[in-house]
Amino acid sequence: MGKKLVMAQKRGETRALCLGVAMVVCAVIAYYILGTTMLPLYQKSVWTQESTCHLIETNIRDQEELEGKKVPQYPCLWVNVSAVGRWAVLYHTEDTRDQNQQCSYIPRSLENYQVARADVEKVRTNFHEHRIFYCFSTTRENETTVLYRRLYGPQTLLFSLFWPTFLLTGGLLIIAMVKINQSLSILAAQK
């Protein structure tokens, strides 16, 4: 009976060690992926200065109002603000500016025009209710754009690193507990 118990205990220890090592390996892979994708985007972000923006005007733009330039057929919101002592155009995120420089906010759902228009109206109403809000500007001198929300800010980076850190800590704890258990059983066997 004792021999079967010892063999079962060794199998359990082996499985626990494999689980701990697998968790550590997965954490290392996740750190590598985040280090090659998220970290460079965080480091390249120039939108680091938090500022106070004062709403100047909002305008809902449709395709026909965009002076004959080729843009997608959806309504979008154009927002002008006063930030860092000068006039600026507010963009929702870094990606909004890349998608369409003539829109401060692009609705999520672009398939249905009425739903997109309602989304833009809702955002416009929120801006008019809260005329003073925080935004992010760059330290460059002649920059006339600001961001409402950073995609690659410190909170995003910390949130992305939470699960790999949890995996690494859990894996190391499992390995440490198995090793402590093995050394305690060796000490108990020697007595």
Side-chain angles (χ1 to χ4, degrees):
M1 180 75 168
K3 188 174 182 181
K4 288 183 180 179
L5 182 62
V6 169
M7 292 302 291
Q9 187 177 6
K10 284 188 178 185
R11 272 187 266 141
E13 287 174 353
T14 305
R15 289 178 183 160
L17 276 176
C18 288
L19 174 66
V21 169
M23 288 172 70
V24 169
V25 168
C26 287
V28 168
I29 291 170
Y31 278 129
Y32 174 76
I33 291 171
L34 288 174
T36 57
T37 57
M38 283 289 291
L39 195 59
L41 293 173
Y42 173 74
Q43 290 174 336
K44 289 178 189 174
S45 179
V46 295
W47 309 98
T48 56
Q49 186 176 356
E50 191 168 334
S51 307
T52 303
C53 285
H54 301 274
L55 183 68
I56 296 175
E57 70 172 330
T58 59
N59 185 14
I60 296 178
R61 293 185 168 184
D62 290 311
Q63 189 215 7
E64 60 269 8
E65 295 178 21
L66 295 178
E67 301 163 2
K69 295 183 181 175
K70 279 203 145 189
V71 294
Q73 295 183 6
Y74 55 81
C76 68
L77 185 65
W78 179 257
V79 180
N80 290 330
V81 294
S82 170
V84 197
R86 62 181 181 262
W87 173 88
V89 176
L90 179 76
Y91 289 102
H92 187 243
T93 62
E94 295 98 327
D95 290 346
T96 307
R97 184 178 178 187
D98 296 337
Q99 288 176 357
N100 187 347
Q101 289 190 356
Q102 297 176 352
C103 293
S104 296
Y105 173 76
I106 299 172
R108 292 183 190 108
S109 173
L110 300 177
E111 291 83 28
N112 186 343
Y113 180 84
Q114 296 302 325
V115 172
R117 178 76 182 204
D119 187 20
V120 170
E121 288 284 347
K122 180 180 167 188
V123 171
R124 182 181 187 190
T125 304
N126 285 339
F127 274 121
H128 283 284
E129 288 176 4
H130 310 284
R131 299 186 73 83
I132 299 173
F133 50 90
Y134 289 107
C135 58
F136 296 95
S137 60
T138 181
T139 54
R140 294 186 206 154
E141 272 301 309
N142 296 322
E143 188 67 42
T144 59
T145 59
V146 292
L147 294 182
Y148 182 68
R149 186 173 66 88
R150 290 176 65 187
L151 282 180
Y152 311 111
Q155 292 88 3
T156 307
L157 188 64
L158 288 175
F159 183 73
S160 300
L161 293 174
F162 173 74
W163 287 111
T165 304
F166 183 73
L167 268 176
L168 181 66
T169 306
L172 291 175
L173 280 174
I174 290 173
I175 292 170
M177 287 191 313
V178 168
K179 290 300 181 183
I180 289 171
N181 187 32
Q182 287 175 346
S183 37
L184 288 176
S185 61
I186 289 172
L187 284 175
Q190 288 176 353
K191 288 183 180 182

